[in-house]
Amino acid sequence: MFQYDLVVVGSGPAGRRGAIQAAKLGKKVLVIEQGKRVGGVSVHTGTIPSKTLRETALNLSGWRERGFYGKAYRVKQEISAEDLRRRLLITLDHEVEVLEHQFARNRVQHMRGKASFVDVSTLEVVKDDGEVMRVTATSILLAVGTKPFRPDYIPFDHKSVLDSDELLEIEELPRSMVVIGAGVIGIEYATIFSALDTAVTLIDPKSTMLDFIDKEIVEDFTYQLRDRNMKIMLGTKADKVTKLDDGKVELILDNGRRLVTDMVLFAAGRMGATDTLNLAAAGLEADNRGRLKVNPETFETSVPGIYAAGDVVGFPSLASTSMEQGRIAARVAVGAVAKEPPKYFPYGIYAVPEISTCGLTEEEMKERGIAYECGIARFRETSRGHIMGLDTGLLKLIFSLKTRRLLGVHIVGEGATELVHIGQAVLNLKGTVEYFVENTFNYPTLAEAYKIAGLDAWNRMGDIKSEL
Ligand SMILES: Cc1cc2nc3c(=O)[nH]c(=O)nc-3n(C[C@H](O)[C@H](O)[C@H](O)COP(=O)(O)OP(=O)(O)OC[C@H]3O[C@@H](n4cnc5c(N)ncnc54)[C@H](O)[C@@H]3O)c2cc1C
């Protein structure tokens, strides 16, 4: 039996950040990870692989240069699955090495095995070779993340009907693909494969998509996807999915339509990975999606001394927010002060094109009855946009008419996930429209779009405070 101050289950963003935080505070910390290597979904099947795939696809397809050289432009004519995988493996190796070094530097111990509860402070760890160990801890942080939801009616075969984890192992790029699920993961992969010239159809039973994103941004994004021939079928469900003898897959939709495709990606949801934790032994219970409920300020579960952070606690389910949650949970667990992070954080969707957003949408401003003005800039209005050959890209700022403060920044287009941080800083530091009007921006940059959007709003707001 081994005793620790904090035992963390899972080495994804929440687990590793929590573990390192507690270790930095001088605590004895153990991370238990069932995967072959540390890093979690984020490193091995989620964030990093999908973003590496995206970068490789954009580079090899010459996507960013097509504004200048035309739609037929390619850096590499025949892009293979092997081309995509090569860069992925190098990136993953590097990420794991950095993580292992972080653990070693901070004296975080890690153990490979599957953990489950024996009681509130004891975990059993089953190693790959069958050896069973027990560890006890003053506090436990559950950072077990999620796994893809795999309903029975989908004939997954690891080859042509896949979930998002399996997609990274494909041997050949499909000529056609149906993506079921217009959530963030489905949309990211649908647009990446479409950039690789796969004929993509995206279907979802809901009649809208990305409802948490500003509607004007979603409309611009959808227009761009349709403009490049991606089929988006919303309000439609696949009733039956069947593998055909020739290796293709047939989908019968609830509207009677029949689709035949090379590959189906099922990306409609993920489940909290709590089913094997024996939660009952600790007095815990997960909801019907395997998620755990926590106090949103401390990340403590209903059982004192047991914390949960990251995707297992639900929205927003991002690597970025998971890290912060893990850090806060670990600080509370070891009795250190933990400051709540600012309310507004950036959300990045690495589709092609990118979307990123921070703060309130125009729809939320209306719901809350806040009088507002918007400023819009198109990337093609910036010199940098001309140089880059961009004919798309939009930045939208939303200001309160009463306080003149920036309350929302919404971007679709090249570099959106980087650009958003300027808006995030101004927003969280309570900056007003004057910030954009008065400050000098590097020229030529896409960031100049902030100045253009700021001026656009300012011209309509006038330079005096409204009486509203
Ligand atoms: C395709 C895809 C793309 C994504 N893209 C982005 C993005 O661009 N940006 C972003 O911010 N987020 C992105 N995400 C989300 C991001 O990956 C997750 O938010 C993040 O990984 C969650 O971190 P976590 O620490 O909660 O858990 P995870 O990263 O899921 O790690 C949990 C770990 O716990 C381990 N584990 C589970 N049960 C046990 C057990 N019983 N014993 C031992 N170990 C266990 C698992 O093996 C796993 O390694 C993406 C996700 C996916 C699937």
Side-chain angles (χ1 to χ4, degrees), residues 6 12-22 24-25 141 143 297-299 307-310 319-334 336-342:
L6 179 71
R16 77 179 194 239
R17 189 56 75 87
I20 289 170
Q21 172 65 95
K24 281 195 188 296
L25 293 166
L141 171 58
E297 276 158 33
T298 61
F299 294 95
Y307 298 78
S320 51
T321 48
S322 297
M323 287 185 220
E324 282 311 293
Q325 293 174 358
R327 188 181 65 81
I328 293 169
R331 289 187 72 87
V332 177
V334 303
V337 178
K339 219 172 129 211
E340 224 188 308

Side-chain angles (χ1 to χ4, degrees), residues 4-198:
Y4 292 88
D5 295 316
L6 179 71
V7 169
V8 179
V9 186
S11 66
R16 77 179 194 239
R17 189 56 75 87
I20 289 170
Q21 172 65 95
K24 281 195 188 296
L25 293 166
K27 303 296 173 189
K28 189 174 173 197
V29 184
L30 171 72
V31 174
I32 306 169
E33 170 57 59
Q34 66 187 6
K36 284 195 188 71
R37 302 175 81 189
V38 294
V41 163
S42 173
V43 171
H44 298 287
T45 52
T47 317
I48 304 296
S50 59
K51 266 78 265 182
T52 311
L53 193 77
R54 178 183 190 275
E55 202 57 33
T56 317
L58 294 185
N59 287 343
L60 294 183
S61 67
W63 182 264
R64 292 189 175 102
E65 304 298 320
R66 289 190 192 169
F68 268 120
Y69 303 121
K71 286 188 174 141
Y73 177 75
R74 303 280 180 280
V75 169
K76 189 168 190 288
Q77 285 306 325
E78 293 292 325
I79 302 170
S80 67
E82 180 51 30
D83 290 328
L84 301 179
R85 218 176 1 252
R86 198 171 310 134
R87 183 155 169 169
L88 193 63
L89 294 177
I90 297 170
T91 313
L92 298 195
D93 271 351
H94 181 69
E95 285 280 321
V96 171
E97 196 188 309
V98 169
L99 284 187
E100 285 177 344
H101 184 219
Q102 277 180 350
F103 279 173
R105 236 180 24 228
N106 290 287
R107 307 210 170 159
V108 171
Q109 293 179 35
H110 64 98
M111 180 189 284
R112 186 160 164 219
K114 199 183 193 86
S116 59
F117 279 103
V118 175
D119 58 45
V120 281
S121 55
T122 312
L123 291 163
E124 185 173 87
V125 187
V126 181
K127 297 189 166 186
D128 272 1
D129 59 6
E131 188 194 349
V132 180
M133 293 182 65
R134 284 194 175 189
V135 293
T136 62
T138 313
S139 303
I140 292 174
L141 171 58
L142 300 174
V144 292
T146 54
K147 46 191 173 187
F149 171 54
R150 290 170 63 104
D152 291 341
Y153 79 99
I154 302 289
F156 292 101
D157 66 353
H158 203 81
K159 198 162 179 266
S160 46
V161 184
L162 310 158
D163 66 27
S164 63
D165 286 1
E166 296 167 323
L167 189 64
L168 302 166
E169 290 159 24
I170 55 172
E171 304 270 319
E172 228 175 295
L173 286 188
R175 291 170 72 93
S176 58
M177 179 186 222
V178 172
V179 177
I180 302 179
V184 174
I185 295 172
I187 287 176
E188 285 189 356
Y189 277 129
T191 57
I192 292 170
F193 276 84
S194 147
L196 286 167
D197 289 331
T198 298

Side-chain angles (χ1 to χ4, degrees), residues 264-340:
V264 170
L265 167 65
F266 186 85
R270 297 181 63 90
M271 300 281 293
T274 48
D275 52 333
T276 58
L277 280 175
N278 191 21
L279 290 174
L284 282 168
E285 204 184 335
D287 68 12
N288 61 355
R289 302 213 65 173
R291 297 197 200 109
L292 293 169
K293 219 174 153 175
V294 289
N295 173 329
E297 276 158 33
T298 61
F299 294 95
E300 195 164 26
T301 64
S302 55
V303 176
I306 302 182
Y307 298 78
D311 282 12
V312 73
V313 305
F315 188 82
S317 296
L318 289 170
S320 51
T321 48
S322 297
M323 287 185 220
E324 282 311 293
Q325 293 174 358
R327 188 181 65 81
I328 293 169
R331 289 187 72 87
V332 177
V334 303
V337 178
K339 219 172 129 211
E340 224 188 308

Side-chain angles (χ1 to χ4, degrees), residues 354-372:
E354 278 171 44
I355 296 179
S356 200
T357 173
C358 184
L360 300 178
T361 62
E362 197 171 339
E363 293 69 47
E364 285 170 320
M365 299 291 278
K366 284 181 194 153
E367 269 166 36
R368 294 180 189 201
I370 305 172
Y372 66 92

